[in-house]
Amino acid sequence: VQLVESGGGSVQTGGSLRLSCAASGHTTSTHCMGCFRQAPEKAREPLASVDLDGKTTYAPSVAGRFTISKDNVKNTLYLEMNNLIPEDTAMYYCAAEELPWGFCEYRYPWDKWGPGAQVTVSS
């Protein structure tokens, strides 16, 4: 599995960004997909997941502001981020795992992810 994020950047509080994650092969059709972030000197924070059927789960900190989705034709994962706040500043990663049905959830301890994309939110 190969994953490459794009679409990070710098915005002001209240702004929006869309993170894209291009996956190899047919990953989005066969894998549980997710996103997490990590800020300097902080633990990894799981954010969202989408399963093979399109069912999504979210961390409370981003629910209602972030939307995860995928396009199986383009084999691409998306994370739409709205109403961004400075606390959202971090490196963002997309991840993928082959999991049994029912196990795809945002808190899964992903062990395959891309190189990441920086998101910076200024006040």
Side-chain angles (χ1 to χ4, degrees), residues 2-116:
Q2 291 185 325
L3 305 163
V4 180
E5 301 89 346
S6 62
S10 298
V11 296
Q12 292 187 325
T13 297
S16 299
L17 286 171
R18 187 175 79 160
L19 189 73
S20 298
C21 175
S24 60
H26 300 284
T27 301
T28 62
S29 302
T30 58
H31 286 60
C32 168
M33 305 293 294
C35 293
F36 64 89
R37 65 189 179 191
Q38 188 162 22
E41 301 182 357
K42 290 191 176 181
R44 188 165 81 172
E45 180 184 7
L47 298 175
S49 69
V50 55
D51 72 6
L52 301 187
D53 295 328
K55 179 184 174 184
T56 56
T57 68
Y58 295 94
S61 60
V62 303
R65 299 190 298 124
F66 290 12
T67 301
I68 192 169
S69 62
K70 62 178 181 171
D71 184 329
N72 289 336
V73 174
K74 295 181 178 180
N75 207 31
T76 300
L77 179 74
Y78 302 101
L79 184 69
E80 187 77 35
M81 302 178 284
N82 297 314
N83 295 320
L84 287 161
I85 58 177
E87 290 76 12
D88 294 320
T89 295
M91 188 71 80
Y92 283 68
Y93 301 87
C94 64
E97 293 292 343
E98 281 191 289
L99 296 174
W101 186 87
F103 281 73
C104 185
E105 194 259 357
Y106 76 93
R107 290 170 292 188
Y108 182 81
W110 314 96
D111 60 10
K112 302 182 189 70
W113 57 85

